[in-house]
């Protein structure tokens, strides 16, 4: 058959199939190129208006919807399914999703890249890796002076809470670690074989500094079952007040070096007995010739 053209120079053209079981079929058998062409592009306000109880559009090849303005998809629910292929949403502008909630499930990875990424929540939130022996990495990479910041405006005792419920916590720093607190700092180990170790590899000058010198009444208190202090160089204890050494026994040993006790005041030794043994000479001298040296017994 020859081509069929229906043209109305003036007025509408209607194709109607009345009856509840009648339909209108428009079929184009062109095997390549445009098979059916709906042209309503006379002006930017020209419309194609489709009303249907159910709208079913199938394409065995690609499907393209281009618009010079906005595209709106509105329904009781919207389903975008790519099957085994990718679903690609691309825009050179912003992607704005306004929803009641977002549920994103993926059997593979979820990759979010951006020049800036901001995730804000107004309720309790979590970022969790649920797989066994799987890691969670939060990193600031690339070098430079950037910072990794963990901030909390909480007012409770655990405003920032690090909890390693089964393992340890390992902190490595290529440079300084600075901890400031407006109140107490506590380091506690609760296991019977646990210990606290503070080590400095500084080879010259001040290597370890404990400063509790804000006031003359400030205290450094050390409680220990056994206290062992070893010094490879000189050891000095200076006190603005009296210095007391008290124990079941006090042993001062100089080894092969001298033990020197010097005071600008009196040296008072009170003991149940005094035993002085020397492999060499024993000298007791005084520069006070008016009193001399007195060694007596009784009163």
């Amino acid at each position: 058959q020859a081509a069929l053209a229906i043209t109305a120079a003036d007025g509408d053209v209607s194709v109607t199939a009345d009856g509840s079981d009648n339909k209108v079929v428009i079929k184009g058998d062109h095997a390549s190129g445009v098979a059916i062409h709906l042209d309503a592009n006379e002006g930017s306000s020209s419309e194609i208006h489709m009303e249907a109880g159910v709208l079913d559009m199938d394409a065995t090849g690609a499907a393209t919807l281009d618009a010079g303005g906005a595209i709106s998809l509105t329904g009781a629910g919207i389903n975008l399914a790519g099957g085994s292929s990718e679903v690609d949403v691309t825009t050179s502008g912003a992607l704005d999703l306004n929803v009641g909630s977002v549920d994103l499930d993926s059997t593979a990875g979820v990759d979010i890249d951006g020049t800036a990424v901001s995730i804000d929540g107004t309720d309790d939130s979590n970022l969790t890796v649920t797989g066994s022996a799987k890691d969670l990495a939060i990193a600031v990479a690339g070098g430079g002076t950037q910072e990794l910041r963990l901030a909390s405006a909480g007012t409770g005792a655990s405003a920032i809470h690090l909890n390693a419920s089964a393992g340890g916590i390992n902190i490595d720093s290529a440079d300084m670690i600075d901890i400031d607190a407006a109140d107490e700092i506590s380091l506690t180990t609760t296991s019977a074989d646990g210990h606290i170790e503070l080590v400095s590899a500084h080879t010259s000058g001040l290597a370890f500094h404990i400063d509790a010198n804000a006031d003359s009444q400030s205290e450094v208190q050390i409680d220990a079952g056994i206290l062992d202090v070893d010094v490879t160089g000189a050891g000095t204890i200076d006190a603005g007040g009296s210095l007391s050494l008290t124990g079941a026994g006090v042993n001062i040993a100089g080894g092969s070096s001298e033990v020197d006790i010097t005071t600008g005041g009196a040296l008072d030794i009170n003991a149940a007995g005094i035993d002085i043994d020397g492999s060499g000479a024993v000298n007791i001298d005084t520069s006070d010739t008016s009193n001399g040296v007195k060694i007596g017994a009784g009163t």
Side-chain angles (χ1 to χ4, degrees):
Q1 295 180 354
L4 173 64
I6 301 176
T7 305
D10 186 14
D12 299 334
V13 175
S14 297
V15 178
T16 304
D18 289 327
S20 60
D21 59 349
N22 295 331
K23 61 184 177 182
V24 176
V25 177
I26 301 176
K27 184 174 183 296
D29 284 337
H30 200 302
S32 176
V34 179
I36 296 176
H37 183 194
L38 299 179
D39 186 348
N41 196 26
E42 185 66 21
S44 60
S45 297
S46 300
E47 296 184 12
I48 293 179
H49 191 188
M50 302 173 65
E51 295 180 356
V54 176
L55 178 62
D56 186 3
M57 301 175 66
D58 299 317
T60 56
T64 303
L65 180 61
D66 296 320
I71 297 177
S72 298
L73 298 177
T74 304
I78 298 176
N79 182 27
L80 299 178
S84 59
S85 301
E86 180 180 277
V87 175
D88 188 6
V89 179
T90 303
T91 174
S92 58
L95 175 61
D96 189 5
L97 301 177
N98 296 296
V99 295
S101 63
V102 176
D103 185 5
L104 182 61
D105 298 316
S106 174
T107 57
V110 176
D111 191 0
I112 301 176
D113 298 312
T115 55
V117 178
S118 178
I119 300 175
D120 299 312
T122 59
D123 207 340
D124 294 338
S125 307
N126 68 280
L127 182 61
T128 306
V129 175
T130 60
S132 177
K134 302 300 180 181
D135 299 328
L136 173 64
I138 300 176
V140 177
T145 59
Q146 68 266 35
E147 299 178 2
L148 174 61
R149 302 173 183 172
L150 299 177
S152 172
T155 58
S158 298
I160 293 180
H161 186 188
L162 299 179
N163 182 12
S165 60
I169 295 178
N170 186 10
I171 300 176
D172 298 316
S173 175
D175 207 336
M176 298 175 293
I177 295 179
D178 190 1
I179 300 176
D180 297 315
D183 213 333
E184 289 86 358
I185 296 177
S186 297
L187 296 177
T188 305
T189 176
T190 58
S191 63
D193 59 349
H195 68 277
I196 297 176
E197 184 175 354
L198 301 177
V199 179
S200 173
H202 200 300
T203 59
S204 178
L206 185 62
F208 197 85
H209 185 196
I210 298 177
D211 185 349
N213 196 27
D215 187 82
S216 62
Q217 301 301 311
S218 300
E219 296 184 12
V220 173
Q221 182 173 334
I222 299 175
D223 298 322
I226 298 173
L227 178 62
D228 186 3
V229 179
D230 298 317
V231 180
T232 56
T236 303
I237 300 177
D238 295 321
S242 60
L243 179 63
S244 299
L245 297 176
T246 304
V250 176
N251 180 26
I252 301 176
S256 60
S257 300
E258 180 181 278
V259 175
D260 187 4
I261 301 176
T262 304
T263 176
L267 175 61
D268 187 5
I269 300 176
N270 298 297
I274 297 177
D275 185 5
I276 300 176
D277 298 318
S279 60
V282 176
N283 297 318
I284 299 177
D285 298 318
T286 178
S287 60
D288 188 349
T289 57
S290 62
N291 289 317
V293 177
K294 298 179 181 180
I295 300 177
T299 58

